[in-house]
Amino acid sequence: LAFQVFPIAMGLMPLPQLWAALFFLMLLNLGISSAVSMTSPLTTALCERLGTTARRVAPPLHLLGFVSGLIYVSRAGTYWLTLSDHFVPMFLTIVVGLSQCLLVSLAYGARRLLESLPPEDQRLAPWWAFCWQWLLPATLSLLLLAQVIHEGSSPFGGFP
């Protein structure tokens, strides 16, 4: 919609070059702010882990993001975008959720997490521990397995 309707609408407005320039600046601002908001948490985590400053961590991180995004501006960019748009949200959401459940319940410890709950939630502590340690990981694992089986049995859009 943004790349089909807006350019036509701006071409019909008075001073279309001004509106086109403003539209470009808006998209540039949106892209830069999205890149900063996506890399800030990772930059902070790497700075704390490596004991360095953001000036040393951020440039290589942004360069990695830039280089990994070049595939989308190649001749096959539309195909890569279609594949990424189809596969990444489902798999990434399930894998991140499963990782969080396992890391919180196993690495951090369910007991330590339960102790940080407010008193009104303490009465449900056994239920929360069961969910974090067993129910959610099992459910997310089954969802991931079902998604892999589904994607393997019916190829997406003619892709293997």
Side-chain angles (χ1 to χ4, degrees), residues 6 8 11 29 34-35 38 48 50 57 63 70 79 94 116 141:
F6 284 141
I8 294 170
N29 185 29
S34 294
M38 287 187 287
E48 289 177 2
L50 301 174
V57 173
L63 181 65
L70 287 177
Y79 300 111
I94 293 174
S116 67
S141 297

Side-chain angles (χ1 to χ4, degrees), residues 47-127:
C47 287
E48 289 177 2
R49 180 74 175 161
L50 301 174
T52 186
T53 64
R55 288 187 181 264
R56 294 181 58 98
V57 173
L61 195 59
H62 284 280
L63 181 65
L64 178 67
F66 173 75
V67 170
S68 65
L70 287 177
I71 194 168
Y72 297 106
V73 295
S74 68
R75 286 185 169 201
T78 306
Y79 300 111
W80 282 107
L81 181 64
T82 303
L83 287 171
S84 298
D85 190 44
H86 177 74
F87 289 105
V88 170
M90 175 58 85
F91 287 112
L92 190 63
T93 304
I94 293 174
V95 168
V96 167
L98 183 60
S99 301
Q100 286 179 347
C101 284
L102 293 175
L103 286 173
V104 166
S105 64
L106 298 176
Y108 183 73
R111 183 168 308 285
R112 282 180 32 191
L113 188 60
L114 289 171
E115 291 169 357
S116 67
L117 285 176
E120 57 271 7
D121 290 336
Q122 290 290 335
R123 60 187 165 87
L124 295 174
W127 170 249

Side-chain angles (χ1 to χ4, degrees), residues 3 7 12 26-28 32 45 47 55 59 71 82 88-89 91 102-103 108 111 126 128 135 139 142 150 154:
F3 297 109
L12 299 174
M26 178 196 67
L27 289 178
L28 182 66
I32 291 172
C47 287
R55 288 187 181 264
I71 194 168
T82 303
V88 170
F91 287 112
L102 293 175
L103 286 173
Y108 183 73
R111 183 168 308 285
W128 288 118
L135 183 64
T139 304
L142 286 174
H150 172 72
S154 60

